[in-house]
């Protein structure tokens, strides 16, 4: 494509992705395939997408900061591991090379789609649990052990990372879903920003796309927040899952 049309398309995709992330999650299943369809190599598309979505992750974490009251002790354990995992995941991505990562793309997209599919049942299960305050250090250590590989995945690809983090937190924690979501947002932002900062010092960021998409993701996040009461999350999630599976099949058949 010539001219500014690719940037316009990427910006529209980012608006859609930002809105979907705010409403149900899974925005990367929209933005990443669009970038590869616009001609970006898979690694460059993934790196650019990670950098572009940073403002959205920050906004989500900031909006739930009040729910993190009393969680400083846990965050001092989880955040450093999340940062280290995000950097390691980013390193592994750049070391993979274009050929290997391209072969993994359909598997990663399909896995992310399946993760998104279980998000609704996961949320309902967490809501039904008996809530109590976590006090044991062993549970926090066990959670941290599982969070580190999740963070590596988040730095490597990222789609579905929020579902993985929430599932890990829910294994050992008896906190409310609201509290778990706030911790999840802080961890997801840490993973994303660590990988993004690492990517910035590589030559794999397409800054034209990244800038347009960052603005689009912010606008989409705001739009998603305004539409939260008008659109059913489960319905939107199913649509994104179907799109993700279709995209994975398209990559396989390409």
């Amino acid at each position: 494509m010539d001219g500014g049309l690719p940037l316009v398309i990427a910006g529209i995709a980012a608006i859609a992705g930002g809105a979907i992330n705010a409403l149900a999650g899974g925005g990367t299943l929209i933005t990443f395939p669009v970038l590869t369809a616009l001609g970006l190599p898979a690694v460059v598309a993934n790196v650019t997408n990670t950098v572009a979505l940073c403002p959205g992750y920050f906004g989500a974490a900031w909006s739930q900061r009040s729910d993190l009251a009393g969680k400083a002790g846990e965050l001092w354990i989880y955040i450093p591991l999340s940062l280290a995992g995000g950097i390691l995941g980013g390193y592994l991505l750049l070391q993979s090379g274009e050929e290997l990562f391209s072969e993994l793309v359909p598997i990663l997209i399909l896995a992310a789609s399946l993760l998104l599919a279980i998000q609704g049942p996961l949320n309902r299960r967490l809501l039904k649990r008996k809530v109590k305050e976590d006090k044991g250090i062993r549970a926090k250590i066990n959670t941290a052990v599982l969070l580190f590989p999740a963070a590596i995945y988040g730095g490597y690809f990222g789609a579905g990372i929020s579902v993985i983090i929430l599932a890990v937190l829910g294994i050992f924690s008896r906190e409310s879903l609201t509290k778990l979501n706030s911790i999840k947002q802080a961890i997801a932002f840490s993973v994303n920003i660590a990988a993004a900062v690492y990517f910035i010092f590589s030559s794999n960021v397409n800054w034209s796309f990244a800038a347009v998409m960052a603005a689009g993701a912010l606008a989409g996040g705001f739009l998603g927040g305004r539409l939260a009461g008008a659109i059913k999350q489960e319905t939107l999630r199913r649509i994104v899952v179907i799109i993700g599976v279709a995209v994975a099949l398209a990559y396989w058949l390409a």
Side-chain angles (χ1 to χ4, degrees), residues 71-83 136-145 147 187:
K71 298 288 122 183
E74 293 178 48
L75 293 179
W76 276 110
I77 298 173
Y78 301 155
I79 297 302
L81 284 173
S82 301
L83 293 171
I137 186 63
R138 180 177 295 179
K140 295 177 177 60
I141 293 174
N142 289 337
T143 299
V145 169
L147 279 176
I187 293 171

Side-chain angles (χ1 to χ4, degrees), residues 83-104:
L83 293 171
I87 293 172
L88 180 55
Y91 170 80
L92 291 174
L93 171 66
L94 297 187
Q95 293 301 309
S96 295
E98 184 66 27
E99 184 176 353
L100 175 59
F101 182 68
S102 295
E103 292 177 357
L104 291 174

Side-chain angles (χ1 to χ4, degrees), residues 50-58 79 82-87 151 154-155 185-201:
T50 298
V51 173
L53 293 183
C54 271
Y57 277 102
F58 173 76
I79 297 302
S82 301
L83 293 171
I87 293 172
Q185 299 290 17
I187 293 171
F189 171 65
S190 300
V191 172
N192 184 264
I193 194 67
V197 170
Y198 180 77
F199 290 149
I200 285 173
F201 294 98

Side-chain angles (χ1 to χ4, degrees), residues 13-56:
I15 293 172
I20 289 170
N21 275 337
L23 287 165
T28 294
L29 295 176
I30 304 298
T31 53
F32 173 77
V34 167
L35 286 176
T36 58
L38 290 173
L40 268 63
V43 171
V44 174
N46 190 36
V47 167
T48 301
N49 190 64
T50 298
V51 173
L53 293 183
C54 271

